[in-house]
Amino acid sequence: MKKIIALSVLSLTLVFVSCNENAAKKIKSENLELAKERDKEIKIGGPKLKFDKTEHDFGVINEGDVVETVFSFTNSGKSELIITSAKGSCGCTVPEWPKEPIMPGEKGSIKVKFNSDRKPNLQQKNITLVTNTDQGKEILKIKAQVTPKSKVQQNS
């Protein structure tokens, strides 16, 4: 029993002594300056997404309609653009995006389908792109005024 207590005290003492160091003191100032320069170069020369539009209004559609739009873009930066993922804010909004890198000056597009089934009235959805741009993500928006099925059937 004495051995267990002595071992526990020794372990706790070792933990407290080893955790007493200040991690900030271990950073070399020349490494910090190099990192700042590297980050500045990435911001200046990194990929940049330039969209022809970032919002699309489908106008008035009928509940159950499946509509789509295309968001065209150009990589106006100085290095290749990579879109890691694209996700709609709900399952009714499905984006398709280029999986291969987009080189500087090249164009690409994001196709977005919206299924209005069981989505009556005003609908506003976001598509979030995860990219290697300075911001790290881009947001595209769609909206539609969906006429409920009951009103569509009454007007028929």
Side-chain angles (χ1 to χ4, degrees):
M1 183 69 168
K2 289 182 183 180
K3 287 182 182 180
I4 294 174
I5 293 173
L7 190 58
S8 298
V9 170
L10 181 64
S11 297
L12 286 173
T13 304
L14 187 60
V15 168
F16 286 119
V17 170
S18 65
C19 293
N20 202 13
E21 289 186 42
N22 185 354
K25 290 181 181 178
K26 293 182 179 181
I27 298 173
K28 294 181 180 178
S29 61
E30 58 268 13
N31 289 345
L32 187 59
E33 290 303 315
L34 286 173
K36 285 180 183 178
E37 281 298 314
R38 183 195 65 225
D39 290 348
K40 190 187 305 182
E41 286 177 24
I42 288 172
K43 284 185 179 184
I44 293 170
K48 293 184 181 14
L49 266 171
K50 183 175 181 181
F51 283 96
D52 64 339
K53 64 180 179 180
T54 56
E55 297 183 19
H56 180 78
D57 186 351
F58 289 110
V60 179
I61 62 174
N62 293 324
E63 184 177 353
D65 288 350
V66 177
V67 293
E68 64 182 56
T69 188
V70 174
F71 294 92
S72 298
F73 64 86
T74 304
N75 176 2
S76 61
K78 295 181 180 178
S79 62
E80 66 182 26
L81 167 70
I82 298 170
I83 301 173
T84 308
S85 71
K87 293 185 179 167
S89 54
C90 81
C92 63
T93 307
V94 180
E96 293 178 26
W97 72 97
K99 309 299 189 281
E100 66 282 346
I102 308 295
M103 300 311 288
E106 286 186 359
K107 296 181 181 296
S109 62
I110 312 288
K111 183 164 85 171
V112 178
K113 287 185 182 180
F114 170 65
N115 184 347
S116 65
D117 190 38
R118 294 188 301 257
K119 301 283 185 215
N121 305 315
L122 181 63
Q123 298 295 315
Q124 297 180 334
K125 306 296 178 191
N126 292 336
I127 300 90
T128 303
L129 307 176
V130 178
T131 68
N132 64 333
T133 60
D134 194 25
Q135 294 90 336
K137 70 178 182 176
E138 306 286 334
I139 307 282
L140 303 173
K141 298 179 180 195
I142 61 169
K143 71 178 181 176
Q145 181 63 46
V146 182
T147 304
K149 283 184 181 179
S150 59
K151 288 189 180 182
V152 172
Q153 291 169 350
Q154 287 175 357
N155 293 338
S156 296

